[in-house]
Amino acid sequence: MTTNIRYKSRIPIKSDETPEEKQYVGFATLPNQVHRKSVKKGFDFTLMVAGESGMGKSTLVNSLFLTDLYKDRKLLNAEERINQTVEIIKHTVDIEEKGVKLKLTIVDTPGFGDAVNNNECWKPITDYIDQQFEQYFRDESGLNRKNIQDNRVHCCLYFIPPFGHGLRPVDVEFMKALHEKVNVVPLIAKADCLTPNEIKKLKDRVREEIERFGIKVYQFPECDSDEDEEFKQLDKELKECCPLAVIGSNTVVEARGQRVRGRLYPWGIVEVENQSHCDFVKLRNMLIRSHMHDLKDVTCDVHYENYRAQCIQDMTRYVRLCRDPRKDKNGITTRTLSLPPL
């Protein structure tokens, strides 16, 4: 039997203190202690971007974090792209804002979807995600667990081309290959190529195909009951807008007497941070301001835990078979097992 007893503080307090102060112990400051420790330690976040060349991935990342991660990038011509295989390139940058430090890692996937034959072009990407899980599992199971580097991929932005009539076969196969390993957030790239009506139709078509093919994209958590009405409304709008249609730009132009980031066309200006033009602000708010911690939690509690449980099952099965080896018809003991991942 378990008995729950609520104790109140009986520590002697000075007579000039109020009754509320007499009942105060101090554990209400625990959130402040956690906050100070977290800020001192800093945060890390790993973002993967995937999609074929020319979808504006690099520009969007630079627009999101107001930095230039691709200064030394070399653009390939058509012939070079045909022969190029899928690569995994990491860019790491330390960002500080109002005393809060963020170690941001961008995992780029040049070469994806650019070949004539794209059969299993997602294999290097899934292998990379598994390698990061395996490395974290090894570090977590080691003797020194004090300073474990978390290089697990917390989110994958997948860029869907704006032309066409929905998802292509390579889009479907890529997301189905990754949806059990990472938080997949599909985006409609270069939304300034489409009219508002075309964007709406494409979003409806992509949502319908994601459901039809059983693709598990990142699901936004439900709002807590104590959240204010403004936050609930923003969360509702965000869910209704998926997949987000985005535009990126690192160019500052003048619009209505103000300098804004946008793209200048003969017919007018597309403003990146104008919510009537695209969903860039919604993506930035979701990715950085409201759901970054949830993306990390889902990675740790769902995707990594699934990988970890599978590893432990494989190791247990291997040990059990080694203890009880099978014999062939001649009575000779054989062990043809290969080692598990760990």
Side-chain angles (χ1 to χ4, degrees):
M1 183 177 68
T2 303
T3 304
N4 293 325
I5 303 175
R6 180 172 295 178
Y7 292 97
K8 293 185 178 180
S9 173
R10 300 301 179 191
I11 301 174
I13 304 295
K14 296 179 182 179
S15 58
D16 58 346
E17 293 186 348
T18 63
E20 289 79 9
E21 290 174 328
K22 291 180 181 180
Q23 302 298 323
Y24 179 72
V25 174
F27 55 80
T29 63
L30 280 173
N32 297 332
Q33 297 175 39
V34 174
H35 174 76
R36 286 196 302 270
K37 186 175 181 180
S38 299
V39 170
K40 184 178 180 181
K41 182 180 178 182
F43 301 88
D44 52 67
F45 188 74
T46 301
L47 176 67
M48 175 179 280
V49 289
E52 65 183 41
S53 299
M55 291 292 101
K57 302 186 296 295
S58 306
T59 304
L60 183 72
V61 169
N62 289 337
S63 302
L64 283 170
F65 298 99
L66 298 178
T67 185
D68 189 1
L69 292 171
Y70 301 89
K71 288 181 276 191
D72 303 324
R73 184 178 60 155
K74 178 188 174 184
L75 296 177
L76 304 178
N77 58 36
E79 184 179 355
E80 291 172 326
R81 285 204 301 270
I82 290 175
N83 299 322
Q84 184 189 24
T85 57
V86 180
E87 296 181 73
I88 304 293
I89 299 177
K90 290 172 59 176
H91 305 271
T92 302
V93 61
D94 294 319
I95 305 174
E96 184 170 348
E97 182 182 69
K98 295 183 179 180
V100 179
K101 298 177 182 178
L102 173 67
K103 180 183 177 184
L104 174 67
T105 301
I106 302 297
V107 181
D108 203 354
T109 57
F112 173 80
D114 293 341
V116 175
N117 182 3
N118 288 313
N119 186 34
E120 293 194 346
C121 60
W122 52 84
K123 190 72 166 56
I125 300 174
T126 57
D127 289 345
Y128 175 82
I129 295 172
D130 285 338
Q131 288 168 11
Q132 305 315 306
F133 281 155
E134 180 179 348
Q135 185 60 50
Y136 192 87
F137 187 40
R138 288 180 183 274
D139 293 343
E140 190 182 47
S141 306
L143 296 176
N144 185 9
R145 301 167 53 189
K146 187 175 181 181
N147 297 311
I148 298 178
Q149 293 291 325
D150 185 5
N151 294 316
R152 296 171 296 181
V153 180
H154 301 118
C155 179
C156 176
L157 299 181
Y158 183 68
F159 288 69
I160 300 169
F163 36 82
H165 302 283
L167 297 177
R168 304 167 301 168
V170 68
D171 301 328
V172 174
E173 293 302 322
F174 175 85
M175 289 192 281
K176 289 180 73 172
L178 265 73
H179 67 178
E180 299 283 3
K181 301 175 182 290
V182 68
N183 299 306
V184 178
V185 177
L187 303 175
I188 296 174
K190 293 185 175 292
D192 47 340
C193 296
L194 304 171
T195 65
N197 189 42
E198 289 172 335
I199 290 176
K200 184 179 183 303
K201 287 183 178 179
L202 182 56
K203 284 186 176 185
D204 292 341
R205 182 69 180 269
V206 170
R207 276 196 295 264
E208 185 267 326
E209 290 179 336
I210 284 175
E211 184 177 353
R212 175 154 53 93
F213 290 112
I215 300 170
K216 302 173 186 176
V217 298
Y218 173 66
Q219 298 295 318
F220 299 109
E222 296 298 325
C223 287
D224 295 331
S225 57
D226 58 348
E227 295 285 359
D228 57 59
E229 291 302 320
E230 182 181 1
F231 183 85
K232 290 180 180 179
Q233 181 62 29
L234 292 175
D235 184 72
K236 181 182 177 182
E237 292 177 3
L238 180 62
K239 292 175 181 176
E240 292 174 349
C241 278
C242 291
L244 301 177
V246 295
I247 304 167
S249 175
N250 300 321
T251 307
V252 177
V253 296
E254 189 167 335
R256 302 184 306 277
Q258 297 180 340
R259 294 178 63 80
V260 297
R261 281 190 300 147
R263 307 184 74 89
L264 181 62
Y265 292 98
W267 44 263
I269 295 173
V270 175
E271 299 176 37
V272 170
E273 297 183 353
N274 189 330
Q275 297 196 52
S276 64
H277 291 184
C278 71
D279 298 326
F280 173 84
V281 172
K282 291 185 176 66
L283 173 64
R284 183 180 62 190
N285 290 342
M286 182 278 292
L287 197 61
I288 303 173
R289 301 182 183 181
S290 60
H291 290 77
M292 178 179 281
H293 202 276
D294 185 70
L295 288 165
K296 296 185 66 173
D297 284 346
V298 174
T299 300
C300 183
D301 299 339
V302 179
H303 300 303
Y304 173 67
E305 279 302 311
N306 290 340
Y307 174 86
R308 181 175 175 274
Q310 185 62 48
C311 282
I312 293 175
Q313 286 179 4
D314 292 343
M315 293 170 66
T316 305
R317 188 181 303 114
Y318 174 79
V319 171
R320 187 184 301 118
L321 290 175
C322 283
R323 289 178 177 176
D324 184 23
R326 297 181 180 180
K327 295 184 179 181
D328 60 17
K329 62 183 180 180
N330 298 320
I332 300 174
T333 301
T334 56
R335 286 187 175 93
T336 58
L337 298 172
S338 58
L339 285 172
L342 283 178

